[in-house]
Structure formats: C-alpha cells, structure tokens
Amino acid sequence: MATGRNHRPATRSRGIPEATVARLPLYLRALTALSERSVPTVSSEELAAAAGVNSAKLRKDFSYLGSYGTRGVGYDVEYLVYQISRELGLTQDWPVVIVGIGNLGAALANYGGFASRGFRVAALIDADPAMAGTPVAGIPVQHADELEKIVHDNGVSIGVISTPAGAAQQVCDRLVAAGVTSILNFAPTVLSVPEGVDVRKVDLSIELQILAFHEQRKAGEEAAAAGSGPDPAAPPVRAATSSRKGPDGDMPAVMPA
C-alpha cells in the first residue's frame, strides 16, 4: 500500500512531465476566459501572465503538446482550448460521485463548474439514513449501502470524498474496491491507496496555515524595516497541534505557545 498520492514515473505515457500536467488546467482556465471574450490569438507573454507562470516555462510546456505558436501572431486560442482539453481528457463526459453530503459536500454538489469542464455529478452518497432521498442540487442523496452498485451502474472512475476524517479511509477502500481509480479527497486525513489509484488532496486548513506563515513573515519584515523589531511583551508564536475538534474531526492549528 502507498500512503497519499502514488509515486508515479516522472513522465506520462506521452512524455509530458507531471509538472506540466499540473499547469495545463491553469492555461485552460486563462484560455477559456479569452475565448469567452472572443479573443482569437494570444502571445506567450500574455497567456503566461494570465496563468501566473513565466513565458519560457509556458513555451516549454506547450512544446510537449506540439504547439509552438506563430511568430508575430501567437497562439490560436480556440485550438489551444481544444488541444489542452483533449490532453486532459475533458472532451468526454466523466461521471463523478460525491461521498459525504455535509456542508462541504453540498457545496461541491452545487458547484456549476463541473458540467462546463467535462464532469457530471452522477450521484450523491451519504451514510445518514435521514439524508436518503433528500434532493441536493436537484440530485437525490443515496445511502452509503448502495455505494458499490452506484459506482458500477454509472461507470464511475472518479470519486470525491468529503466525509469526516474518521470515515474517509473506509469510504476510500470501498470506492477503490468498486472500481474507482481516481479520488479527490477533501477529508482532513491522508489516504492509503493501492498502486494504480491516484489521489489528489485538498486541505483548506493547511492552505490557510501556509498563508498565516507568510503573513507573519511579512509582518516581521515590515517591523524590521521600520526598525522596531518584535514586541518583547508579545508571547512567542510556535506551531502547535490543538486538540480542538472541527466539523471534520481533529484540526491542527497554529496557536500561541
């Protein structure tokens, strides 16, 4: 068993590095915005700025797709949208199941961006019997006892887990056993999956803690620049894991010492 995201070869079957694959959705989002404004072509510099990368890296990434642009003209926006969508597998309809229909799961079910990006929410699943039959985003919630049948009947290969931490691994195991090979995990825990299963983890609390670190560092730099230094009366701040329970279970936090 492997913990967290599987260790895969550095490149995919067509020789595209994983780092490039991770940037393709950024390019696609920027290109889609240009397409919606009927912009026919875009330079590498303009597109790189919109995607938040440097232009040299963008040109290198596009070379893996066989797109080199036209000197003095740039890249054809519509063709790049098609090309990247095809490479990401978004030219087909991907059925997705969401397991755990609490506040976060319901918000994901109501997210309108899935359909426009090649994904269809095929089913919503929850372990609470009281939720069964309740419509969320127009889709009736089904009980977790039906998980395997739902996955099989809908040909699902992508599962979204938005359960509390304590239930996530069991849900993951059942999804994998039912044939799901890609999982998007919102639960605040690391999942163990067999080889051949991809896991992407989204942890909002960790992202906020990283932002808190940068805010603290910026405040310290500003104080140093002003010549004031740290406040001697302020308690030291260190990273500590609290024992507080959040809505999804244990939630580590940065707390004063």
Side-chain angles (χ1 to χ4, degrees):
M1 301 281 281
T3 301
R5 189 178 176 187
N6 286 348
H7 293 287
R8 292 295 189 88
T11 59
R12 292 162 63 87
S13 59
R14 290 186 56 188
I16 302 179
E18 288 291 343
T20 295
V21 174
R23 287 188 290 269
L24 291 181
L26 303 179
Y27 301 140
L28 182 59
R29 181 174 60 190
L31 286 161
T32 300
L34 292 171
S35 176
E36 290 172 350
R37 301 197 329 254
S38 299
V39 176
T41 59
V42 62
S43 70
S44 58
E45 289 78 12
E46 291 169 334
L47 183 53
V53 303
N54 67 64
S55 58
K57 184 173 292 184
L58 177 145
R59 287 190 292 269
K60 180 68 173 177
D61 288 342
F62 284 0
S63 72
Y64 292 110
L65 304 179
S67 288
Y68 298 94
T70 303
R71 184 177 296 275
V73 176
Y75 293 93
D76 183 289
V77 170
E78 292 299 332
Y79 179 67
L80 267 185
V81 167
Y82 165 75
Q83 202 171 22
I84 294 176
S85 296
R86 183 184 60 186
E87 193 63 46
L88 289 172
L90 304 182
T91 53
Q92 58 182 300
D93 182 50
W94 291 100
V96 175
V97 295
I98 301 175
V99 185
I101 313 303
N103 291 334
L104 178 57
L108 293 170
N110 278 283
Y111 174 55
F114 285 130
S116 64
R117 289 167 173 81
F119 302 95
R120 173 176 55 87
V121 178
L124 306 177
I125 302 173
D126 198 274
D128 183 358
M131 289 286 294
T134 303
V136 175
I139 304 172
V141 176
Q142 301 181 66
H143 192 264
D145 288 348
E146 302 295 317
L147 184 149
E148 288 79 7
K149 183 177 186 302
I150 292 167
V151 169
H152 179 268
D153 289 351
N154 290 277
V156 174
S157 58
I158 300 176
V160 178
I161 297 177
S162 52
T163 66
Q169 184 62 60
Q170 182 184 19
V171 168
C172 175
D173 292 343
R174 290 181 63 189
L175 286 171
V176 170
V180 169
T181 52
S182 292
I183 292 173
L184 181 60
N185 177 33
F186 284 90
T189 187
V190 176
L191 299 175
S192 296
V193 296
E195 186 67 26
V197 176
D198 288 306
V199 176
R200 299 287 299 185
K201 179 169 174 55
V202 180
D203 193 316
L204 302 180
S205 65
I206 287 178
E207 298 303 324
L208 286 170
Q209 288 174 40
I210 293 171
L211 289 175
F213 166 81
H214 289 295
E215 285 300 311
Q216 179 176 260
R217 186 177 64 176
K218 285 185 284 187
E221 291 172 349
E222 289 172 1
S228 60
D231 181 357
V237 176
R238 62 181 174 83
T241 301
S242 78
S243 59
R244 294 183 295 110
K245 294 281 187 178
D248 294 318
D250 292 327
M251 182 179 296
V254 175
M255 303 175 61

